[in-house]
Amino acid sequence: MLSRFEQRCREAFGPDRLRRAVALGALTTFKVGGPAEWLIQLQSGEDVRRAIEIAAEAGLAVTAIGGGSNVLIADEGIGGLVIRIHGGDAEALGSSRIRVDAGLTINGLVRWTVSRGIAGIEAWAGTPGTLGGAVFGNAHFRGRLMSELVRRVRVVSGDGRIVDVDAAEMEFDYDFSRLHRTREVVVSADLEVSEGEPGALRAIARDSLAFRKRTQPLESPSAGCVFRNPGPGDSVPDGIPPSAGALVDRAGLKGAREGAAVVSPAHANFIVNEGGATARQIRALIERCKVDVHARFGVTLREEVVYLGYPELDMRSGR
């Protein structure tokens, strides 16, 4: 017999959208992670709102994921309802602003804007994940922050209300937004853009993608950069760049491994899955990097990657 929760989901989304005990590793860029107790893939803001409302009535925790980058899902999986927000579109709101669905991939957004002569997003070519995740973590690349483009964010609150939040109220900081604190779920964002020439924009996008291919181990599963770069308050020893990758490298950890999890020889701020790695192995290697860097240089590395399915860390929103 169907539970009240299952029945409500069937009524709202059809008989086949809600699935039970779905392995999540295939939905992440790390390619690791246990099952979701319940999983549903949605796209529209109204559907996300309704799913959160139904889960709240059933007393189920909600975890939102997008493209599955920048997250480490526990081997035991995630309890409650996992909403995968994936797919969507963008629309122009005049000549200087666009509205983008949270589930649209950054690369899809780059293609959409470049083809229409819309400037502002092209340098983000090659960025993994979705717009929702980029807003959640205030994604950064070559000194630029996603928050520089964001003007308004539409979110769903924990009790199922759709709320528009101005950028000034998003509490954006390096690798941070208010969403870490509030557990609100992004469903769309308004970005400031300008006009551009498609050929020139395409050249910038190609340059950004080439830079990533030169400097990052894109051929292996990873979550992107594992650690945040040191901030102004961190005392990095003279002669070492204020870079998490440089600190891990100087600590002699390039190539270090735990099982099939390896600190990338190409970029020490990446941990790659050589095939069959577990979340437990990856987390152990993260902790080893933190311990060794602190012992060697006195610098405390802080994770950029978001842990999901770890009750002691309680982070329920990811990219």
Side-chain angles (χ1 to χ4, degrees), residues 266-287:
H267 193 313
N269 201 11
F270 281 66
I271 289 176
V272 298
N273 177 2
E274 287 197 334
T278 65
R280 191 168 290 106
Q281 291 170 345
I282 292 169
R283 192 172 177 195
L285 189 53
I286 290 172
E287 291 301 317

Side-chain angles (χ1 to χ4, degrees), residues 30-33 72-75 258-261 273 275-284 310:
F30 245 148
K31 303 304 178 188
V32 301
L72 178 63
I73 295 176
D75 296 318
E258 294 283 343
N273 177 2
T278 65
R280 191 168 290 106
Q281 291 170 345
I282 292 169
R283 192 172 177 195
Y310 295 86

Side-chain angles (χ1 to χ4, degrees), residues 207-265:
D207 176 70
S208 291
L209 187 56
F211 176 82
R212 290 181 187 275
K213 289 180 177 179
R214 288 195 308 270
T215 61
Q216 300 176 5
L218 301 183
E219 72 286 350
S220 302
S222 78
C225 288
V226 173
F227 301 108
R228 305 178 185 183
N229 286 326
D234 296 309
S235 181
V236 178
D238 292 340
I240 300 179
S243 155
L247 288 163
V248 174
D249 186 4
R250 299 290 181 90
L253 290 161
K254 268 190 175 180
R257 71 168 54 241
E258 294 283 343
V262 182
V263 176
S264 170

Side-chain angles (χ1 to χ4, degrees), residues 2-224:
L2 296 177
S3 67
R4 174 65 174 161
F5 169 71
E6 293 172 277
Q7 186 62 44
R8 288 289 311 279
C9 285
R10 283 190 170 213
E11 293 169 356
F13 310 112
D16 303 319
R17 301 285 290 280
L18 183 71
R19 295 184 290 160
R20 190 167 197 165
V22 177
L24 292 171
L27 303 181
T28 74
T29 57
F30 245 148
K31 303 304 178 188
V32 301
E37 182 179 359
W38 297 101
L39 175 72
I40 192 165
Q41 180 166 315
L42 301 172
Q43 183 174 307
S44 77
E46 176 56 28
D47 280 352
V48 173
R49 186 205 66 74
R50 195 177 311 174
I52 290 176
E53 181 181 62
I54 293 170
E57 291 175 357
L60 293 176
V62 173
T63 302
I65 63 172
S69 64
N70 208 225
V71 298
L72 178 63
I73 295 176
D75 296 318
E76 294 75 18
I78 303 175
L81 176 65
V82 176
I83 302 176
R84 186 179 189 233
I85 304 173
H86 209 261
D89 208 345
E91 62 174 320
L93 303 177
S95 61
S96 63
R97 191 169 292 200
I98 58 175
R99 179 164 295 163
V100 187
D101 291 335
L104 184 61
T105 65
I106 298 296
N107 285 319
L109 178 58
V110 169
R111 289 191 294 270
W112 187 90
T113 54
V114 166
S115 67
R116 290 164 174 79
I118 297 173
I121 315 296
E122 61 282 352
W124 293 88
T127 302
T130 60
L131 179 76
V135 171
F136 169 85
N138 195 13
H140 53 88
F141 178 59
R142 298 176 85 170
R144 296 191 62 191
L145 297 171
M146 182 58 64
S147 57
E148 296 171 20
L149 300 171
V150 175
R151 292 299 167 261
R152 179 173 293 180
V153 181
R154 180 161 291 176
V155 302
V156 179
S157 63
D159 58 357
R161 292 180 298 112
I162 293 180
V163 181
D164 287 331
V165 183
D166 287 337
E169 299 174 339
M170 283 295 297
E171 302 173 20
F172 282 124
D173 202 346
Y174 181 72
D175 283 332
F176 184 82
S177 73
R178 73 182 245 171
L179 307 175
H180 289 75
R181 176 179 61 79
T182 65
R183 308 293 196 259
E184 296 160 322
V185 177
V186 181
V187 293
S188 69
D190 294 356
L191 308 182
E192 186 172 314
V193 294
S194 59
E195 295 181 0
E197 195 280 312
L201 300 178
R202 199 167 288 112
I204 293 171
R206 283 197 298 265
D207 176 70
S208 291
L209 187 56
F211 176 82
R212 290 181 187 275
K213 289 180 177 179
R214 288 195 308 270
T215 61
Q216 300 176 5
L218 301 183
E219 72 286 350
S220 302
S222 78

